[in-house]
Amino acid sequence: MKWDAWGDPALARELPADIKALLAAALGVTGDAGPGPTAAEVVLRPSLLTEADLKALAAVVGEAHLSDADADRLPRAGGKSTPDLLRRRSRAPQDAPDAVVLPGSEDEIAAVLALCAERRIAVVPFGGGTSVVGGLDPERGGFTAVVSLDLRRFDRLLDLDAISGEAVLGAGLTGPAAEALLAERGFELGHYPQSFRFATIGGFAATRSSGQDSAGYGRFDEMVRGLRVVTPAGVLDLGRAPASAAGPDLRELFLGSEGTLGVITAVRVRVHPVPAVKAYEAWNFPDFTTGADALRAVEQRGTGPTVIRLSDEAETAVNLAMTEQIGGEAAVSGCLAVTVFEGDAEQVTARHRLTRAVLLAAGGTSLGEAPARAWEHGRFNAPYLRDSLLGAGALCETLETATDWRRLPALRAAVTSALTTALPGSLVLCHISHVYPTGASLYFTVVAAQGPDPLAQWAAAKRATGDAIAAAGATITHHHAVGADHRPWMADEIGELGVRILHAVKAAVDPVGILNPGKLIP
Ligand SMILES: Cc1cc2nc3c(=O)[nH]c(=O)nc-3n(C[C@H](O)[C@H](O)[C@H](O)COP(=O)(O)OP(=O)(O)OC[C@H]3O[C@@H](n4cnc5c(N)ncnc54)[C@H](O)[C@@H]3O)c2cc1C
């Protein structure tokens, strides 16, 4: 993973000249932002850990699994939001964790947490480093220093129960590593967020991640049967049956806890046999409202697509311009929807037939399978485009929310208006990324010309959209999580009593408060 951009350096791409010309004409994006510093040129604030701290940490994890070298601190200095990437471009001294600790067992994690509580060192659990909400900011929160606790050594398939369809996965396994281990045994998890290639099992659980196949397989939190969590107060092993009436479900406290309540070491998840057959069909709708109504009809009938999503007119047109793969005149003038079906042949045929009947009746026009296949082929590539846009002098960022179907049109209008007011002349794209019988999530992408201070420019837009989302009664985040960036809206979302409950839980499991200060809990 690159430290100053998304993903695999080999996949970075320059913007084609015609797209740059289009950006200049349509959005006033002129002039490259210029190259940021190289890793060697970045100046990190010196580590605040003492020799005694480092010696004590090394005594727990071993010298080889502790580092205060800049080369190890820099890649853990934050996540991959646009503000994170803009901050990496700074030539002024940058903040970073004071050291990186790589424990190899739950006992080592418990010992690191005890030591950090005693020495007043904050701890930020680190999975794949893909947070887009400031979840990995190296905040010290009043403590003397902060360490990044990297879970990458928790990288094993610990159990596969083929009879029950469950696997126990180490928290540090990345999406592809987990799928490769399961595939050797004929199984699949089927969790494909756009950050799939780098994000980890522990990170998915800690942020309540949602994948592109969530219509079929559920969000990550819905797949979780059990969790092991090391907290400063002890170890929890939660979830012992497929369902239980044994009081409130404590798993729910740690799903979405974002490293503030404990360190997730292993996750027991629902898995399914690798699907034998896949079917694809793309659709055109004359407008977003008709398309949204069609997706609602599919979800409320329960016809069972694995993937179903709808782009608005602007996103459909931009996708067409960028990929030249979404064929057909109909797609240009309307909204593109993608459906994918997975399973055995009989099931796929039946679910596809039922779904297409609903979509046809709701005003959809089939575009055949090519645009849906093209979407799947390129589905992990969009983040590379954001890097190219940032380099070309554009400001590009995404945000997401969710509400019930009834309030979806008003929410879309409110967020679009907040974005275009805060970023005049910007291009706002939107799609329905996840659907439920009672509502859906909206995912926005905004592109504008970078001003002289792009960080302040985005901060103002983020404030305006967060306020618009709260005023619309929607959730501040459907799947990106809270981190530092959405924390200002948490009290509004869960109420003052809700905040007190979170503080009470925090006090029980992390009495000194060393775990990920400044995130999630207001
Ligand atoms: C380009 C891009 C696309 C994205 N697409 C999606 C998407 O489609 N769907 C989606 O849901 N999200 C998406 N995200 C957001 C992000 O990938 C998710 O939040 C992901 O689940 C984080 O996993 P990670 O392993 O990278 O965790 P990190 O980023 O390392 O950590 C995220 C948070 O979880 C905590 N944490 C991590 N591991 C543990 C652990 N083992 N125990 C306790 N706490 C832990 C960290 O302290 C931090 O607060 C995207 C991000 C990017 C940059």
Side-chain angles (χ1 to χ4, degrees):
M1 169 81 103
K2 292 186 77 175
W3 64 276
D4 60 345
W6 176 246
D8 178 353
L11 296 178
R13 46 186 174 149
E14 261 285 300
L15 278 185
D18 55 338
I19 298 291
K20 279 190 180 174
L22 198 67
L23 285 169
L27 303 178
V29 176
T30 49
D32 287 354
T38 62
E41 287 167 347
V42 169
V43 181
L44 289 189
R45 295 211 176 87
S47 171
L48 294 172
L49 288 168
T50 63
E51 278 306 312
D53 293 331
L54 289 168
K55 219 168 145 189
L57 285 166
V60 175
V61 294
E63 296 269 345
H65 300 120
L66 171 73
S67 172
D68 65 347
D70 286 1
D72 295 313
R73 295 167 60 213
L74 180 60
R76 277 98 170 175
K80 295 291 181 212
S81 67
T82 291
D84 285 322
L85 301 182
L86 290 169
R87 277 192 286 268
R88 296 289 88 76
R89 289 178 154 262
S90 168
R91 288 177 188 272
Q94 297 188 21
D95 207 0
D98 295 299
V100 179
V101 189
L102 296 106
S105 68
E106 289 186 350
D107 286 349
E108 286 186 6
I109 293 178
V112 167
L113 295 181
L115 195 94
C116 288
E118 186 193 314
R119 290 177 173 266
R120 299 197 55 79
I121 299 168
V123 177
V124 180
F126 187 97
T130 68
S131 169
V132 281
V133 292
L136 298 165
D137 289 358
E139 280 198 36
R140 290 167 187 83
F143 295 98
T144 57
V146 58
V147 295
S148 174
L149 189 142
D150 191 317
L151 273 299
R152 68 180 50 194
R153 292 174 70 200
F154 291 75
D155 61 353
R156 290 194 300 131
L157 171 61
L158 299 162
D159 186 29
L160 178 72
D161 175 349
I163 294 174
S164 312
E166 288 178 6
V168 182
L169 296 164
L173 281 165
T174 61
E179 290 294 7
L181 288 168
L182 291 169
E184 282 172 17
R185 312 276 289 271
F187 283 87
E188 187 197 47
L189 180 58
H191 186 65
Y192 296 107
Q194 204 176 40
S195 53
F196 165 74
R197 288 186 178 144
F198 299 93
T200 61
I201 296 298
F204 294 151
T207 61
R208 292 185 179 274
S209 168
S210 200
Q212 292 167 345
D213 297 16
S214 292
Y217 301 121
R219 295 161 58 90
F220 195 78
D221 48 17
E222 292 168 342
M223 297 175 168
V224 172
R225 245 293 313 276
L227 287 166
R228 282 188 66 84
V229 191
V230 181
T231 79
V235 179
L236 285 156
D237 190 353
L238 299 168
R240 56 167 61 183
S244 165
D249 189 344
L250 293 185
R251 286 175 307 183
E252 295 291 337
L253 275 178
F254 292 91
L255 291 167
S257 60
E258 301 184 35
T260 63
L261 301 179
V263 180
I264 297 164
T265 58
V267 187
R268 179 178 288 274
V269 283
R270 185 180 70 212
V271 293
H272 54 266
V274 173
V277 177
K278 271 183 147 186
Y280 301 80
E281 189 161 16
W283 294 83
N284 176 251
F285 290 93
D287 54 61
F288 192 72
T289 305
T290 308
D293 286 346
L295 265 61
R296 176 169 58 82
V298 165
E299 196 54 19
Q300 291 180 341
R301 281 283 303 279
T303 61
T306 309
V307 176
I308 185 160
R309 49 194 289 127
L310 172 76
S311 293
D312 72 358
E313 292 86 346
E315 190 175 278
T316 300
V318 168
N319 281 347
L320 179 71
M322 290 306 297
T323 65
E324 294 176 357
Q325 283 164 323
I326 298 167
E329 282 300 306
V332 190
S333 59
C335 295
L336 177 79
V338 166
T339 57
V340 183
F341 303 84
E342 295 182 359
D344 63 42
E346 208 177 334
Q347 277 177 355
V348 164
T349 306
R351 289 194 272 121
H352 188 183
R353 187 170 42 76
L354 281 171
T355 304
R356 77 187 314 277
V358 175
L359 293 177
L360 278 172
T365 306
S366 175
L367 298 173
E369 63 174 38
R373 282 187 184 275
W375 167 80
E376 187 182 71
H377 179 72
R379 66 174 164 167
F380 298 127
N381 292 340
Y384 293 100
L385 183 61
R386 177 182 59 163
D387 293 333
S388 316
L389 287 165
L390 290 178
L395 182 70
C396 175
E397 182 56 307
T398 63
L399 59 94
E400 38 75 56
T401 175
T403 192
D404 41 55
W405 288 110
R406 186 170 51 90
R407 290 187 289 182
L408 206 67
L411 176 62
R412 177 165 169 250
V415 175
T416 305
S417 159
L419 282 170
T420 49
T421 306
L423 299 169
S426 56
L427 172 68
V428 178
L429 318 176
C430 178
H431 66 257
I432 292 181
S433 59
H434 302 88
V435 289
Y436 306 91
T438 57
S441 68
L442 291 176
Y443 187 97
F444 295 87
T445 303
V446 60
V447 187
Q450 267 182 39
D453 184 351
L455 271 171
Q457 197 185 0
W458 177 247
K462 185 73 186 173
R463 261 193 313 278
T465 48
D467 289 348
I469 287 168
T475 181
I476 194 63
T477 174
H478 167 263
H479 59 267
H480 280 168
V482 179
D485 298 358
H486 291 143
R487 190 170 168 241
W489 291 278
M490 267 304 272
D492 177 79
E493 177 119 5
I494 62 173
E496 286 308 322
L497 179 56
V499 173
R500 287 215 303 277
I501 292 170
L502 286 185
H503 278 283
V505 175
K506 173 89 173 163
V509 294
D510 179 21
V512 181
I514 53 169
L515 280 170
N516 215 0
K519 321 293 159 48
L520 173 65
I521 306 173

